[in-house]
Amino acid sequence: MAGKMFAAIDVGSNEISMKIYEITPKKGAKTIDYVNCIIELGSDTYKDGRIGEDSIFKVCEILNKFKKKMKEYQVNEYRAYASSAVREAENSVMFLERIKMSTDINVSVLSNSEQRFMNYKAYAASGIDEEMNKNTALLDIGAGSLQVSVFDKTNLIQTQNLPIGAVRIRDYLKKFGSDTVALENIMEEYVSNFIIEFRNLFINDKDIKSIIAIGDGITNLKKAGPELNIADRITREQFDVLYKKVVETKPEELSEKYGIPYERATLMLPMAIIYQSFFDNSKAEYIVTPHVSFCDGIVADYMDKNGMLLINKDFDQDILASAENIAKKYKTNKKHTGNVAHNALAIFDALKNVHGLGRRERLQLHIAALLHNCGKFVNMNEGTLISYYIIMSTEILGLSHKEREEIANIVRYNIYYLPSEKKASEVLKSADYMKVAKLVSILRIADVMDKSHKQKISDVKISIKDNSVILSVDTLADITLEAGMFNGRTELFKKVFGLKPVLKQRRRL
C-alpha cells in the first residue's frame, strides 16, 4: 500500500479494540481493518480497585493477536492507550509492565481530559461540524464517567466530568435487583441528580439545541430501532421509541434480537437513561451520531500532532477557551491577564533559541498567564496559593495531569520563592522542574510589567545583547511603578538563563 500504515489500540474499560489505518497526504486516514474483543476491565477496577490476574492474562493474549495483525499489514507506527479502568487501578503500573514484557507493546495511560479531547478531535476530523453553529452539548459516555462539553457556536465554553459512566452505574445498581422497570426508575433518579446539578451550575442560561453523542453506545441504541431508519440523527420522537424498548426489554433479549453482544446490551439501559435525562433537562431537539470511536480519536490526534490532519483547525484554541472559561468563572481581570499573556508570549518567542521549549510549553505559559490571579476571587490575601489549588482541582480539556500540574506550579512560584529541585520535589510532584523554572521566570517579568493593572506596556521590542535581554517599550505612560519593581522580579530569570533583563522606555509622540 502506498500510504503510511498506522494502528490505533484502545485498551478500554469494557473492550480492547484496534483499527488499522492507511494514512495518505490527500485522503487522510482510511480504515483498513477493525478487530475487537470484549473484556470488562472496568468491572475489576470499579468493584475491587485492581485488575485481576485472569484479566491481565487475557489482555496480553488479545494484544499478542493484535500484534500479529499489525505485522500482516506491515504497520509502520502505532499508538496504544488505556483510560479510566487502568488509570484508577491500584496495580496499573504492574499491569502496564506485564503487557510490555508479554507483548512488547507500550501502552500509555491517558488522563480523562486527554482521552475526551481525542474523542473531540475524532468528531472534528469527521467533517460534521454544522452543529457547532448553535449551542451544542457533546456527550462522551465512557465506562466510568460522562464528559459533557458545551459549545457556543465554535467556542468551547464549558466541560465537566461526571461520575456516571455506563459500567459504573450498571455494576453499582445491580444490588437493586433484576426488575428492569424498577431498575430504570432507580437509575433515572441516580443519573438525573448529576445532570440537573450540572445544568444549574454551568448551563442554566444556555439553550442547548442539539446533542452530539460520541462512542459505540449510541450505535447500539440505534440498532434497537431498525424500523426507524435512523441515519446520523435521532429526533426526540425516535429516541422515545428506542428508550421504551430498552426499558421494557431484558439485555439477553436485546442481544439476541438485534445482534448486540450481551455485555454491551447490559450497558444500553444506563446509556439510554443518561441521554434521556439530558433531553429532559435541555431544549435539545435531536442527537447527532457521527460514528466515531476512540480509535478514530487516536489517529486524529496522531495526525494533528504530525501536521497531517486534513482540516483547518487549531485545537489549542479549544484548550485556551477552556482556560478562559475558568478565568471568567473566577472573575479575573481580563485586561490584566490578557496583557500579561501578550508580553509573556512575546518574551517566550524572542528567547526560543535560548530556552529550547516548544509549542506545548508556550501554550502552558499562556494558560498560566490567564489563570495566575484566579484565586483572588476566593481570598485576596492568599490568591496565589488558591490559584494553584484551583488549577490542580479543575480539569482543562486537552491537558495531561502532568501539564496541568506544571501550570499550577508556574502560577504558584510566580509569587513564591522557587527552592532547589530537591526541596521543591514534594510540591512539584510529576512536574518538570526546569520547565517550571523557565516559564516562571518569564511570567514574573510579564506580570510585573503590568503591576499597575493599567496595561501601560503592550508594545515591547525584545533583543539580546551581550549578556542582557533588552525589553524596549514604547509608551508615553508613567511606568515608575513597573520600572521600580522590575529588578526585584528578575533574579530567577538571571539564574535560569544567565541573562539580565533590562527594561527601557522609549517615549514617542
Side-chain angles (χ1 to χ4, degrees), residues 92-126:
S92 61
V93 175
M94 289 184 181
F95 171 72
L96 297 174
E97 183 60 25
R98 290 277 295 277
I99 290 175
K100 174 64 177 173
M101 290 190 295
S102 176
T103 69
D104 201 33
I105 292 175
N106 287 306
V107 179
S108 300
V109 179
L110 295 173
S111 68
N112 176 70
S113 60
E114 288 177 297
Q115 178 193 356
R116 308 303 184 155
F117 199 54
M118 286 187 187
N119 278 336
Y120 168 57
K121 284 185 177 182
Y123 169 73
S126 71

Side-chain angles (χ1 to χ4, degrees), residues 235-253:
T235 64
R236 275 182 178 262
E237 292 74 20
Q238 289 172 325
F239 187 82
D240 288 343
V241 174
L242 297 175
Y243 186 78
K244 185 177 181 182
K245 284 188 178 184
V246 172
V247 170
E248 295 178 350
T249 310
K250 293 184 177 181
E252 51 267 31
E253 294 177 35

Side-chain angles (χ1 to χ4, degrees), residues 337-350:
T337 57
N339 181 267
V340 172
H342 172 79
N343 289 332
L345 296 178
I347 297 169
F348 182 95
D349 293 341

Side-chain angles (χ1 to χ4, degrees), residues 275-382:
Y275 290 125
Q276 182 64 59
S277 183
F278 216 89
F279 260 140
D280 291 342
N281 290 284
S282 74
K283 296 183 179 179
E285 300 161 359
Y286 48 82
I287 300 174
V288 177
T289 60
H291 303 289
V292 293
S293 67
F294 183 51
C295 285
D296 299 320
I298 294 173
V299 72
D301 181 69
Y302 170 81
M303 294 173 69
D304 178 45
K305 290 177 178 176
N306 289 277
M308 304 162 68
L309 205 56
L310 300 181
I311 59 171
N312 183 24
K313 182 168 179 60
D314 182 0
F315 288 102
D316 284 356
Q317 293 304 312
D318 291 293
I319 299 175
L320 286 171
S322 185
E324 287 167 351
N325 186 67
I326 296 169
K328 181 180 178 181
K329 176 181 177 181
Y330 290 99
K331 302 187 186 300
T332 61
N333 183 332
K334 189 175 182 179
K335 289 183 178 180
H336 169 66
T337 57
N339 181 267
V340 172
H342 172 79
N343 289 332
L345 296 178
I347 297 169
F348 182 95
D349 293 341
L351 297 178
K352 63 181 179 181
N353 293 328
V354 177
H355 54 59
L357 301 177
R359 179 183 66 85
R360 197 69 179 178
E361 290 79 13
R362 189 181 191 273
L363 177 66
Q364 288 179 285
L365 177 62
H366 195 166
I367 294 171
L370 294 175
L371 299 179
H372 75 281
N373 273 344
C374 63
K376 287 187 175 181
F377 178 79
V378 179
N379 187 311
M380 291 287 289
N381 292 323
E382 298 290 341

Side-chain angles (χ1 to χ4, degrees), residues 29-49:
K30 177 184 177 183
T31 303
I32 302 299
D33 201 354
Y34 170 72
V35 289
N36 74 305
C37 186
I38 294 175
I39 175 170
E40 295 203 340
L41 297 180
S43 289
D44 282 9
T45 299
Y46 308 143
K47 179 184 177 183
D48 303 321

Side-chain angles (χ1 to χ4, degrees), residues 47 57 66 80 114 198 206 268 300 305 337 383:
K47 179 184 177 183
F57 178 81
F66 284 5
E114 288 177 297
F198 172 81
K206 297 291 180 183
M268 290 173 69
K305 290 177 178 176
T337 57

